[in-house]
Amino acid sequence: MRRALVAGGSGFVGSHLCDRLIDENYEVVILDSLVTGRKKNITHLIEKGVQFIEGNIADDLSYLKGPFDEIYNMASPASPVDFKTMPIYILETSGQGHKNLLELGKRTGAKVLFASSSEVYGDAEKHPQKEDYFGNVNCAGERGCYDEAKRFGEALSMAYKREHGVDVRIVRIFNTYGPRMRPDDGRVIPNFFSQVIQGKSLTIYGDGKQTRSLCYVTDLVDGIFKLMQSNCSEPVNIGNPFETTILDIADSVQRVCGSKNELIFQELPENDPKLRKPDISKASSLLSWKPQYSLKDGLEKTYEYFRAELTQ
Ligand code: UDP
């Protein structure tokens, strides 16, 4: 039986990844600081006997004994709201935190996957974004803490591969949504569903013509799992290339919910990327991966979750 450590395993994406690993018959150890992760995301796994450790990856990890075959670093606050409230913690997580996990990989011989982000491309000047695009990031802006943390985490991963031969994987995650997102997390999908369910106006930042490409969470997890099983240490984009404006997303959410709430327009956050769409030709040729969920099907499942979460 293979043994995996999932840092950030009680978060939104991390908990779905743990579900997948359990389905694949892994022994899973979850390490999470619970700063943005929630224990309720993994109660069903703890009940099945999965080990949960409350801890911060940026602290000394010598208590983790291994053996581990695979280490997944899914640990980081990831909402633009968090960029304002905990920028230092975000930098520490992908800095000292990721270094500690790479050291653990070196010590135990485990492969180490870093959950990077489309944010490494910043406010991209190339569209769609391909892995060989170096990006357009304002390191001193409000999003800089996250963008640079992810860029540093990638650089650190490659440095550990080159200097110590650690077998690393880097996934660049594009916008993802689905059950277990925090309703108050501040991102577009939780905001729109919470606002519709609570009968409030939907908040559109800027003119709403900026684009995003939304991937349903189990599709993302499938790509992450396949990347770990591949032998590719270079960064790989995983996301759904179906591109929509924020206004279209508001419309799709309202159609799924059968609502017609008002829209209110608010100021666009600093350095908010104007266009985002992954080029997934690398994932497609290397991993034979492509997303399965349409936006409508994914939003329907997500609506069920938010309705239960907000009306209980
Ligand atoms: N957005 C919006 N209304 C909201 C939340 C977000 O119009 O209530 C916009 C935001 O400005 C951005 C897009 O939706 O252009 C996606 O934002 P999110 O915070 O989900 O993630 P990002 O892709 O910016 O990291």
Side-chain angles (χ1 to χ4, degrees), residues 78-80 83 119 143 175 186-189 191-192 195 203-205 210 212 246 268-269 272-273 276:
S79 166
F83 306 167
E119 281 292 325
R143 300 178 83 99
N175 293 71
R187 279 182 280 192
V188 67
I189 292 295
N191 274 10
F192 285 175
Q195 288 158 348
T203 49
I204 308 287
Y205 301 161
Q210 68 273 37
R212 292 295 186 271
I246 299 307
L268 190 70
D272 196 284
R276 188 182 286 152

Side-chain angles (χ1 to χ4, degrees), residues 16-270:
H16 285 279
L17 174 64
C18 292
D19 286 342
R20 172 65 183 263
L21 293 171
I22 295 293
D23 286 349
E24 299 282 345
N25 217 17
Y26 278 61
E27 184 187 339
V28 175
V29 177
I30 298 174
L31 172 64
D32 201 300
S33 66
L34 298 180
V35 167
T36 53
R38 297 183 301 174
K39 218 163 167 188
K40 67 194 247 188
N41 290 341
I42 52 164
T43 318
H44 62 293
L45 296 177
I46 294 172
E47 279 166 6
K48 277 188 198 164
V50 170
Q51 189 188 351
F52 169 72
I53 302 166
E54 186 174 342
N56 183 347
I57 53 168
D59 294 338
D60 179 15
L61 297 183
S62 55
Y63 63 87
L64 290 171
K65 295 293 175 240
F68 293 111
D69 301 290
E70 296 174 4
I71 297 171
Y72 295 83
N73 183 6
M74 313 305 294
S76 178
S79 166
V81 172
D82 306 324
F83 306 167
K84 290 183 200 300
T85 57
M86 43 182 142
I88 298 170
Y89 182 80
I90 288 172
L91 282 156
E92 249 173 23
T93 302
S94 293
Q96 186 61 51
H98 190 52
K99 181 169 189 282
N100 289 343
L101 292 177
L102 287 162
E103 281 292 331
L104 184 63
K106 186 177 139 204
R107 182 152 57 83
T108 60
K111 297 184 271 185
V112 182
L113 179 140
F114 180 61
S116 184
S117 166
S118 55
E119 281 292 325
V120 299
Y121 301 121
D123 191 2
E125 289 158 320
K126 289 208 174 171
H127 194 72
Q129 291 78 52
K130 223 178 153 120
E131 288 87 347
D132 60 7
Y133 174 50
F134 295 159
N136 176 38
V137 168
N138 173 8
C139 58
E142 248 181 23
R143 300 178 83 99
C145 62
Y146 188 73
D147 300 11
E148 293 300 342
K150 293 301 182 184
R151 291 169 73 96
F152 185 79
E154 290 197 12
L156 196 60
S157 299
M158 294 310 289
Y160 265 79
K161 176 183 167 60
R162 293 183 182 117
E163 208 171 317
H164 296 302
V166 175
D167 197 8
V168 299
R169 304 284 180 273
I170 298 168
V171 56
R172 290 186 180 155
I173 299 175
F174 282 65
N175 293 71
T176 301
Y177 69 102
R180 302 190 194 147
M181 293 187 101
R182 283 183 292 126
D184 63 350
D185 127 323
R187 279 182 280 192
V188 67
I189 292 295
N191 274 10
F192 285 175
F193 275 113
S194 305
Q195 288 158 348
V196 165
I197 291 166
Q198 292 163 358
K200 295 181 181 161
S201 304
L202 274 65
T203 49
I204 308 287
Y205 301 161
D207 60 8
K209 291 190 180 135
Q210 68 273 37
T211 69
R212 292 295 186 271
S213 309
L214 300 176
C215 186
Y216 189 67
V217 64
T218 54
D219 280 338
L220 168 73
V221 161
D222 186 47
I224 291 175
F225 182 72
K226 287 184 170 142
L227 177 60
M228 185 62 114
Q229 308 318 312
S230 78
N231 57 10
C232 177
S233 286
E234 305 292 321
V236 178
N237 289 340
I238 300 284
N240 191 320
F242 179 71
E243 184 183 12
T244 47
T245 64
I246 299 307
L247 285 171
D248 283 339
I249 294 173
D251 194 50
S252 302
V253 167
Q254 301 246 57
R255 250 181 291 138
V256 163
C257 302
S259 66
K260 273 201 166 10
N261 295 20
E262 265 184 54
L263 307 181
I264 48 166
F265 291 82
Q266 298 183 348
E267 203 181 327
L268 190 70
E270 185 191 30

